[in-house]
Amino acid sequence: MSSMDRRTFLEFLGKSTVGMIFIPPLLSSCTSDEWKTIVPIAPASVDRIVLADGFFYDLLIKWGDPISATDQFGFNNDFNAFIPFDPAKPDDGFLWVNHEYIHSGFVSGYWGKGAKSREQVEKEMYAVGGSILHIRQKRNGAWEVVKNDPLNRRITGMTDIPFQWPTPIYGRTSAMGTLANCAGGVTPWGTFLTCEENYDSFYGERDFQTGGLKPGSDKWYEQFDNPPEHYGWVVEVDPRTGAARKHVALGRCAHESATVASLPDGRVVVYSGDDANDQCLYKFVGSEPNTLEKGTLYVADLEAGKWLPVDFAQQPLLQQHFADQTEVLIRLREAAHLLGGTPLDRPEDVEIDPHTGAVVVALTNNLAKRNFYGSILRIEEDGGDHAALHFRHDTLLTGGPETGFACPDNLAFDAGGNLWFTSDISGSYMHKAPYEDFKNNALYVLPRQGPQAGQILRVAVAPTDAEFSGPWFAPDGRTLFLSVQHPGENTGRPDELTSHWPDGGDSIPRPSVITIRGKALDELQMSFE
Ligand code: FEO
Ligand code: CA
Ligand code: CA
């Protein structure tokens, strides 16, 4: 990190003018003399997880593990979020896990030859969506899934999910399933949000100029006649009942994430990136407390520092191009660009700094613009008010050989306010120019305080072809839930597996959730005297 980057980061962490929102409790305090520094690890090309000293991991659950008498854990787990049943007992509760997409060979045995059968498509539909799990921490500190607990459920690509909207969406009031579930969020009323990101690979996408369908690579439309308009939404799931609904008011795009901020009057704001080259950043501001059913969707204009309402009633320009607000929301990308939303370099995860209220956005890369390494954007809302219509912004960190990371994707703040992020160098570019020196994808932390404040520390390396995703901290900050997604993704033939993680030997790779704990994690969250 250059001295300028380091100073900027320290200023960002320590002196932001944004209002204080919430400061989680720190574990204890120590002096700089007592602080054990973390020795960051080097890039690695290995088929296992490498961790810096002071951290260790346990495997919590992997693809195919039974969670009940009838259901199994899905494929390519991404977002994780934990909600305790009782805030006073933070070691026992619901873990929600997204299952984003499939590797047809592993999931359905379809290796690209001939037509995919209905049975194969059904297997793939079962593998996506999400898992609701009852998990708890044992006396020795390790976490376990409570097997066969009646609370354990699957939501899949076949679950009937109603639209939360007054009129039907493309002729129906509910969709068949959810898919492409990437990142998400948690509401203050104890539900999970899961985002449908690259939905077009399953049922394709409509060309709104011609009305024709652009096919998707997974070809589910050959077996099921579901319109693309039924996907690309933010889905809310109540873990107590398993009930889910698609919130049309939040718009339709390749939603990466749905990060929730609470307003003092009980309304919520949801930030979401649309992960594709030159797509936009959005925020939804609810108009009533404790619900996402009604509110206004805005798109970010970074040049003017303004949030622009994507609202048919307020925007004559939208009235010229669309029939009504339903069409605006279905064709959100087109509406956002018409209004002057700023094209960004793949806006992915969004997090809110718990100490300053600043909104932090991962901009992964934009290969078409030769932005190979990506950056992390910071937005400060006027007066620290998440409902504000004006903001300032700057670049918090820039990826590249000098800073040691590339393609930031998921973000998380821990209880000590340290910023963690994962890298997502795509499988087709990993180990090739200009990414070869970064080797496998990794997990990084930027300590907020102490002698390593502002340094970018690589603390974990993922197995072959995998990315780490869905970082989420337990309420006490002493466990990091983390997905190990798509190990062995570049496998093209069943007899040429590129990874055997986690079971080793000749086994096929299995995406899994791990828990990272350790003295180094505890120490990172101590306050300084
Ligand atoms: Fe599913 Fe943009 O990552
Ligand atoms: Ca992502
Ligand atoms: Ca990703």
Side-chain angles (χ1 to χ4, degrees):
M1 169 181 273
S2 70
S3 59
M4 176 58 84
D5 282 347
R6 181 179 163 84
R7 191 169 70 239
T8 307
F9 182 68
L10 293 174
E11 285 171 357
F12 156 68
L13 290 175
K15 298 181 191 166
S16 170
T17 54
V18 176
M20 304 280 271
I21 305 298
F22 167 70
I23 301 180
L26 298 170
L27 296 176
S28 63
S29 64
C30 66
T31 65
S32 294
D33 292 344
E34 296 168 317
W35 182 267
K36 307 286 188 301
T37 56
I38 292 171
V39 179
I41 55 176
S45 304
V46 290
D47 190 28
R48 60 187 171 86
I49 292 173
V50 184
L51 287 168
D53 278 352
F55 299 94
F56 65 91
Y57 82 92
D58 294 305
L59 196 138
L60 180 67
I61 190 165
K62 60 182 190 261
W63 167 54
D65 282 354
I67 62 170
S68 69
T70 52
D71 280 314
Q72 302 91 43
F73 192 65
F75 198 73
N76 267 354
N77 42 283
D78 195 316
F79 177 68
N80 298 287
F82 176 75
I83 301 178
F85 299 140
D86 174 356
K89 284 185 62 192
D91 56 358
D92 193 12
F94 288 113
L95 184 73
W96 168 266
V97 186
N98 276 358
H99 299 296
E100 188 177 16
Y101 64 102
I102 39 95
H103 181 296
S104 287
F106 297 140
V107 171
S108 67
Y110 178 77
W111 290 92
K113 300 252 167 64
K116 199 182 271 185
S117 70
R118 190 173 179 93
E119 187 188 1
Q120 285 173 317
V121 171
E122 285 175 352
K123 273 188 185 167
E124 295 178 4
M125 293 170 90
Y126 183 76
V128 302
S131 288
I132 300 167
L133 305 172
H134 174 194
I135 64 166
R136 65 186 171 203
Q137 201 167 15
K138 297 186 281 192
R139 277 202 184 151
N140 67 2
W143 291 81
E144 65 177 353
V145 176
V146 181
K147 294 278 166 64
N148 294 318
D149 190 292
L151 293 169
N152 296 344
R153 302 172 201 264
R154 284 295 318 282
I155 306 282
T156 76
M158 301 188 92
T159 307
D160 186 60
I161 303 180
F163 294 108
Q164 184 64 54
W165 195 244
T167 56
I169 301 298
Y170 221 81
R172 294 189 220 155
T173 55
S174 67
M176 179 189 265
T178 182
L179 43 77
N181 307 78
C182 187
V186 164
T187 67
W189 51 91
T191 58
F192 296 105
L193 302 179
T194 173
C195 293
E196 298 179 336
E197 190 199 20
N198 296 314
Y199 60 88
D200 57 333
S201 72
F202 301 95
Y203 292 109
E205 177 61 305
R206 184 114 24 222
D207 180 330
F208 290 105
Q209 307 308 319
T210 66
L213 278 181
K214 293 181 268 189
S217 54
D218 291 306
K219 301 182 185 174
W220 289 5
Y221 47 81
E222 291 180 354
Q223 300 293 343
F224 290 89
D225 185 21
N226 291 320
E229 288 82 355
H230 285 189
Y231 309 96
W233 304 104
V234 175
V235 185
E236 182 177 9
V237 179
D238 183 340
R240 291 153 199 82
T241 62
R245 52 193 174 148
K246 301 198 178 194
H247 281 290
V248 173
L250 276 67
R252 175 174 171 272
C253 62
H255 281 286
E256 172 82 18
S257 57
T259 304
V260 180
S262 296
L263 299 175
D265 59 8
R267 293 179 299 134
V268 295
V269 174
V270 182
Y271 293 92
S272 186
D274 177 3
D275 180 8
N277 284 352
D278 304 317
Q279 296 305 332
C280 299
L281 178 69
Y282 299 92
K283 79 171 177 184
F284 172 84
V285 181
S287 57
E288 294 174 9
N290 299 321
T291 177
L292 297 173
E293 291 176 25
K294 290 189 185 137
T296 304
L297 184 64
Y298 297 88
V299 63
D301 175 349
L302 268 67
E303 211 169 300
K306 274 187 184 171
W307 292 103
L308 311 171
V310 190
D311 182 356
F312 187 82
Q314 294 184 56
Q315 301 279 12
L317 196 54
L318 298 182
Q319 294 164 17
Q320 289 170 26
H321 289 82
F322 300 95
D324 52 22
Q325 182 66 5
T326 305
E327 191 183 18
V328 166
L329 292 167
I330 288 174
R331 299 169 62 181
L332 177 60
R333 281 183 175 173
E334 293 166 79
H337 288 294
L338 264 178
L339 294 172
T342 301
L344 296 169
D345 292 346
R346 292 188 56 201
E348 292 214 63
D349 206 0
V350 179
E351 286 299 329
I352 298 168
D353 185 327
H355 287 246
T356 68
V359 179
V360 179
V361 184
L363 302 178
T364 295
N365 60 23
N366 190 331
L367 300 185
K369 290 185 171 169
R370 301 186 64 76
N371 172 1
F372 297 111
Y373 304 120
S375 61
I376 298 178
L377 172 75
R378 169 182 64 162
I379 285 178
E380 286 187 349
E381 301 277 25
D382 261 12
D385 175 8
H386 290 291
L389 298 184
H390 294 86
F391 61 86
R392 295 178 301 284
H393 72 92
D394 61 4
T395 296
L396 172 61
L397 290 176
T398 304
E402 285 183 14
T403 44
F405 74 93
C407 309
D409 184 342
N410 289 125
L411 309 165
F413 283 97
D414 65 21
N418 307 296
L419 176 60
W420 298 70
F421 62 93
T422 62
S423 64
D424 180 15
I425 301 168
S426 97
S428 37
Y429 291 99
M430 219 188 296
H431 307 297
K432 295 175 189 159
Y435 296 113
E436 63 268 52
D437 291 345
F438 300 96
K439 300 189 176 174
N440 289 10
N441 279 313
L443 169 72
Y444 300 83
V445 62
L446 285 88
R448 175 182 288 270
Q449 54 191 351
Q452 291 179 296
Q455 294 180 23
I456 301 170
L457 308 175
R458 184 186 296 101
V459 294
V461 170
T464 304
D465 299 347
E467 71 172 288
F468 289 130
S469 59
W472 187 273
F473 286 91
D476 67 2
R478 302 181 71 173
T479 299
L480 171 60
F481 298 101
L482 190 66
S483 280
V484 182
Q485 198 191 38
H486 57 76
E489 180 170 59
N490 287 336
T491 297
R493 292 166 46 125
D495 55 351
E496 290 180 1
L497 301 174
T498 60
S499 169
H500 303 284
W501 190 87
D503 295 328
D506 295 331
S507 65
I508 60 168
R510 290 184 182 271
S512 305
V513 178
I514 61 169
T515 55
I516 293 180
R517 293 181 291 138
K519 199 161 172 288
L521 185 55
D522 295 348
E523 286 180 352
L524 263 171
Q525 297 179 61
M526 293 176 176
S527 64
F528 275 80
E529 292 167 346

